Amino acid sequence: MSRALRILVAAAVLLGGTVSLFAAENAPLTRGTAITDPDLLRKLDRNDTLTISRLLWPERNANFPLTTDLLFSSLSQLKDIPPAIDAELDRYVAKQKAAWPSETIGVGEGFDVQLFDRANLKSPDTRFVLAGIVNRMDRAYVSEESCGEIRLIYRLVRFEAGSDGGKSATRLPMTFNLVLKARDARQTDATGKPVTCADIARRWLDNGDWQSLIGGGFSPYDAMLDRIETNIQLSVAPKSTLHDFRSDYLLKVFKYNSATKIFEESTLENQIDRDRIVADDALRREFRAWLLAPENLRDFDRGTVLIPEKFLAKAAVVPTPAGLDASALQPEFGMMQGEGKGEPVFTDNDVVGALKQAVARGDLQNIRSVAGFQRRLNDVTCAGCHQTRGIGGFHFPGVDWLADTPSNSTIVPASPHFIGDQLRRRDILTAFAAGKRPDFSRGFASRPQVRGSAELAGTEYQDGWGAHCSLQNAGSGTPDRSFTSWSCAKGLTCQAAAASSRIGMCFIKTR
């Protein structure tokens, strides 16, 4: 296992408790919602069927994937991505030097803070390999016309010649997600009828070997392209006398502009620009009024809120591990009363008053307290979600089909949060397939939302070893109504994982 991946696995234990191996018994959870079969992914990548270059440059004659030096120079659609990442790295380095002037920062193990080597994005020895395909029709509430999204997940890999003449492959800590609309409203089937959301859902649910699924519609064109999401492990800082172990991840989004045919830098969905909002009195008041408005608070509770762009950021640096206690490492810190030094965006009275009115309307499913509001304010953001039960800063590091011998890194392609959410996603596909309107709501990222299914009972995803649980259920303090259902399976007890958090983790009872 590479050093970077050892760090990712170590961080996973810190963030999410124990991480299950993605063994055969978990495969049914992703049936219909994700493609993680290593043999199929290898075939699709090596046949140049679903490489980035083939999808964005379908007319090219070569039947081999492009290395990163050629990918970004040959595909004009991607030209804005490298300079945008370079600019974020420059800003990050400047902030680190200002915050920790006594620490060295640079590429390589000789530095106190070890940076991602941006040369990897201009190298003839690296390329992005297909590491997974994820159905996100559960996001159709964003755009019902497109029936949600299909995400093609690519992992950056370095290939080096070995002494035996072969090539070794090292996975690097970066993913590149090409996000497609699940359908174009103009699509028709073989009979000329419009393709419906039900058609697409049935295709995913019915195909066991995925061959007809892949061959039946993965030929994206401008109308299908939506955006590119990048996730890079910016830096690793080993434990020192100044701080604990820390690794920072950079999240960026590039929306496709069909007029210019360029993926352009964009805001991240629901990534609250905390510093800008807190520093601007008018913006702070406007954001408070917007989020506490009844219709928006209802969507916020259900996890389907879409925060306007004026409140959002174009990048997120995700520190891990962030822990369960409120701290500046979390994206909403400073917005709630009692956090930080300035005037909060939301006082306890603001939240309590809005929740009382929402209860009277029957609007609430998840948020029933100030603590629940604060937790949702974190996990509705990109950064906060990635900090919750993630493998380091990733939820889907991807399948490593390049390895000759499987190891932990090759059979753990996804985080506990990702696996635990598959039942909700499958329920939505099933509703689509039956011609019904799905329920798009989701619970907190810390706890799967299980709708009448016992499939997760007793597992780390719901209430087993390492699952998140309510400390109040263990007899500690007054129960918080946002978390009272978070219990542990028989034989386990909820134990504190942080000093002041209301949330603990399920472990074997000890005397």
Side-chain angles (χ1 to χ4, degrees), residues 91-329:
R91 280 191 285 269
Y92 177 79
V93 170
K95 287 182 179 179
Q96 287 292 309
K97 288 181 176 179
W100 307 95
S102 63
E103 287 196 326
T104 60
I105 181 169
V107 176
E109 295 191 6
F111 294 91
D112 296 321
V113 179
Q114 299 154 26
L115 287 174
F116 175 81
D117 188 355
R118 65 184 82 186
N120 288 320
L121 297 180
K122 304 171 185 177
S123 171
D125 299 319
T126 61
R127 74 173 180 89
F128 291 97
V129 303
L130 183 66
I133 305 172
V134 181
N135 182 315
R136 293 306 307 270
M137 291 182 72
D138 63 292
R139 285 179 43 78
Y141 65 87
V142 177
S143 174
E144 294 190 19
E145 186 178 71
S146 66
C147 304
E149 306 162 355
I150 306 299
R151 298 185 182 185
L152 306 181
I153 317 296
Y154 300 89
R155 183 67 180 251
L156 186 61
V157 175
R158 180 190 295 116
F159 294 88
E160 296 174 303
S163 56
D164 59 356
K167 278 196 172 184
S168 63
T170 302
R171 298 214 303 173
L172 302 175
M174 176 179 180
T175 57
F176 185 104
N177 306 342
L178 179 60
V179 183
L180 310 174
K181 298 172 185 176
R183 75 153 187 170
D184 171 25
R186 296 171 296 179
Q187 277 181 284
T188 58
D189 61 21
T191 66
K193 294 181 180 178
V195 172
T196 66
C197 296
D199 294 331
I200 297 171
R202 283 193 290 267
R203 185 184 301 163
W204 278 83
L205 290 169
D206 293 345
N207 285 277
D209 62 1
W210 306 107
Q211 298 301 322
S212 60
L213 171 65
I214 298 299
F218 273 77
S219 298
Y221 46 95
D222 279 6
M224 301 290 286
L225 298 175
D226 186 76
R227 66 189 183 278
I228 284 170
E229 303 169 339
T230 60
N231 186 359
I232 302 172
Q233 186 185 53
L234 275 180
S235 70
V236 174
K239 182 178 175 65
S240 71
T241 56
L242 295 176
H243 52 69
D244 291 330
F245 165 86
R246 177 171 164 178
S247 184
D248 289 347
Y249 295 79
L250 171 68
L251 307 181
K252 292 285 289 180
V253 170
F254 302 86
K255 289 283 289 183
Y256 186 67
N257 184 326
S258 58
T260 63
K261 300 188 183 302
I262 300 291
F263 286 94
E264 300 173 346
E265 189 177 18
S266 175
T267 55
L268 281 69
E269 182 179 294
N270 290 349
Q271 183 61 41
I272 303 164
D273 194 334
R274 175 189 65 190
D275 295 342
R276 184 165 55 88
I277 293 173
V278 169
D280 187 321
D281 289 342
L283 197 62
R284 182 170 61 243
R285 290 193 298 270
E286 187 178 359
F287 181 58
R288 178 174 59 239
W290 184 89
L291 188 55
L292 296 182
E295 64 277 13
N296 299 325
L297 184 60
R298 180 184 182 278
D299 290 342
F300 181 67
D301 169 77
R302 284 157 172 71
T304 58
V305 71
L306 295 173
I307 298 173
E309 284 196 12
K310 69 173 75 175
F311 303 119
L312 304 180
K314 286 190 174 182
V317 174
V318 187
T320 62
L324 295 176
D325 281 340
S327 75
L329 299 179

